[in-house]
Every structure is written in C-alpha cells, then in structure tokens.
C-alpha cells in the first residue's frame, strides 16, 4: 500500500478534474496537500473536502512571485514541502497555420514556464528536507505528433526535456523529477470537445479516468518510487504502444 504519511504535496491546477483526483488520492494516503488553482471557488472546495489535510492557495503558475507565495504558505501551514505535482495546464488546439502567436505564448507560459518556476521555487525546500519528488504532467502529445496540436504538443515535448535535465541537475540532492503522459482522460478540460466520440481506436477501448492518472502520481510522490528519476510514464490505454 502506498503511504504518504508525513509528506506535504503541492498540486497545481487541483481545483477540478485530474488535479482534484490527485489531491484526494494523496490525502487518502496520508499527505497534507496544498491545492493551488486560479479557480478560487473550485480550489477552496477541493481543499475543504480534505479537512485538516488540505490548504488552498490561489496561484498563477506563470508568475514567479505567485510561486513564492505558494511555497511560503505551504511551509507556514505544514512545515515543509515533500513533493510538487506540476499539473496545471492549458489545452487549445488549432491547425498549425491557424494557431495564433497569442495562444502559443499562453500555452508556453502555463504549460512550460509554470513548471520551470515551480521547480525553482520548491527545489531549495526539498533540498533542505533531504530530498523529494517533482512530477511534471506532460501528455501523449509530448510523445507523438497529433494533428492540431502544434502549440500544445510543443509545450509538452519541451516539458519532457525540462524533466530530464532537471532530474540530472537535482539528483545529487535526492530530488527526483519524472514526467507523466496521460492520453485522453475524462476531465472537464476535454469532455466537451470529445463528447460522443468513439474510443474503439484505443486498445483498451475507452477514455481514462482522472483517478487512473492520480494513482501513478501518488506512487511517484511516495518513497516507493525512490529509485526513479528522469523517467517518463504513459497513461493512455495503449495508444502510444502502436
């Protein structure tokens, strides 16, 4: 059984969907969880549902100063940070010729600059604690090309590179950095755009559930994954196995 007793996990974009599932699963394993999101009402609801194990902090992941506030709040409330899950993301699709520079930049700021700021913000606290775990939520769009995903896929491919390099930079401090690559997951971010779609092309024949990503994230935040760093884990029902 995976345990996170005594650990403090910061999860970005945890106000709904996959992030909310990750927060609940980590709390069930004994962690105290810092729920961050720009959606204040939803984030507070998730944190409240965790009882004394939850804390909500409003957070713009693209802003370094906002990250400093998250780490300060976590340390003040729970004493330290043990793990960071860079879950917050934007998903916008368009043919490469119709993708606007404004959308591309927005995706870069949230999906790539956000995790970069997060790693820099939490690394000193993790180092002081004797090590810890950083989990970057990428995508199968960061593993293979997908039509309409020139901008989004670019950010997720880049997040793989950030993960691998950071894993090497931080290994001597016993800070592990890994990436998770979900496929089609039934979350509010994607549900409306895929309503009624046939999933027979997926080897397992269906969309994934947020909890199925959350279980892996919980494992990577735990000491059970203590010899894993710089690795990539796919949760896609077999799509990229072809």
């Amino acid at each position: 059984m995976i345990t996170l007793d005594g650990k403090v996990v910061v999860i970005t974009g945890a106000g709904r969907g996959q992030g909310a599932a990750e927060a609940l699963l980590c709390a069930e394993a004994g962690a105290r969880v810092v729920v961050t999101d720009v959606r204040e009402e939803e984030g507070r609801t998730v944190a409240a549902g965790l009882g004394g194990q939850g804390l909500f902090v409003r957070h713009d992941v693209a802003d370094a100063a906002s990250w400093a506030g998250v780490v300060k709040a976590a340390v003040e409330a729970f004493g330290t940070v043990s793990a960071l899950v860079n879950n917050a993301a934007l998903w916008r699709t368009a043919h490469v010729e119709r993708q606007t520079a404004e959308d591309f930049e927005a995706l870069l700021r949230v999906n790539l600059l956000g995790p970069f700021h997060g790693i820099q913000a939490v690394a000193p606290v993790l180092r002081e604690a004797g090590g810890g775990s950083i989990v970057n939520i990428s995508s199968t769009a960061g593993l293979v090309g997908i039509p309409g995903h020139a901008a989004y896929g670019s950010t997720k491919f880049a997040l793989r590179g950030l993960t691998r390099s950071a894993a090497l930079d931080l290994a001597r401090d016993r800070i592990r950095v890994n990436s998770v690559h979900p496929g089609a997951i039934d979350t509010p971010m994607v549900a409306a755009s895929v309503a009624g779609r046939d999933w027979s092309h997926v080897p397992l024949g269906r969309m994934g559930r947020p909890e199925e990503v959350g279980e892996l994230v919980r494992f990577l935040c735990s000491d059970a994954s203590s010899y894993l760093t710089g690795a990539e884990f796919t949760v896609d029902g077999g799509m990229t196995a072809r």
Side-chain angles (χ1 to χ4, degrees), residues 40-238:
E40 188 164 349
E41 183 176 350
E42 292 172 317
R44 289 191 184 282
T45 298
V46 171
L50 306 181
Q53 292 173 250
L55 171 70
F56 172 72
V57 181
R58 191 184 188 285
H59 181 205
D60 175 3
V61 297
D63 178 42
S66 187
W67 272 105
V70 169
V71 173
K72 182 175 185 290
V75 172
E76 288 180 349
F78 299 133
T80 190
V81 174
S82 312
L84 165 65
V85 183
N86 280 312
N87 174 81
L90 290 179
W91 181 60
R92 297 174 185 173
T93 62
H95 186 281
V96 66
E97 293 180 282
R98 293 186 290 276
Q99 184 77 64
T100 67
E102 291 77 15
D103 268 358
F104 205 136
E105 184 174 353
L107 291 166
L108 281 170
R109 288 182 58 77
V110 173
N111 298 358
L112 184 60
L113 186 61
F116 169 75
H117 283 321
I119 292 168
Q120 289 195 328
V122 304
V125 183
L126 297 179
R127 184 180 297 115
E128 184 178 350
S133 175
I134 297 172
V135 183
N136 292 326
I137 306 299
S138 181
S139 167
T140 52
L143 296 172
V144 297
I146 300 175
H149 285 66
Y152 179 80
S154 294
T155 67
K156 294 303 189 176
F157 265 96
L159 188 55
R160 291 174 66 193
L162 176 62
T163 298
R164 290 186 175 204
S165 293
L168 297 177
D169 285 346
L170 299 174
R172 68 181 59 189
D173 298 311
R174 299 178 61 201
I175 299 171
R176 300 177 292 106
V177 190
N178 295 288
S179 61
V180 173
H181 299 260
I185 307 298
D186 190 5
T187 67
M189 187 170 74
V190 302
S193 64
V194 299
R197 183 174 297 183
D198 177 15
W199 297 103
S200 59
H201 63 288
V202 177
L204 289 184
R206 62 175 176 83
M207 292 185 77
R209 299 186 299 273
E211 294 76 15
E212 291 174 307
V213 179
E215 293 281 2
L216 176 57
V217 168
R218 177 166 64 177
F219 166 70
L220 292 173
C221 288
S222 78
D223 293 338
S225 61
S226 57
Y227 201 54
L228 297 176
T229 196
E232 299 168 352
F233 299 88
T234 305
V235 189
D236 70 348

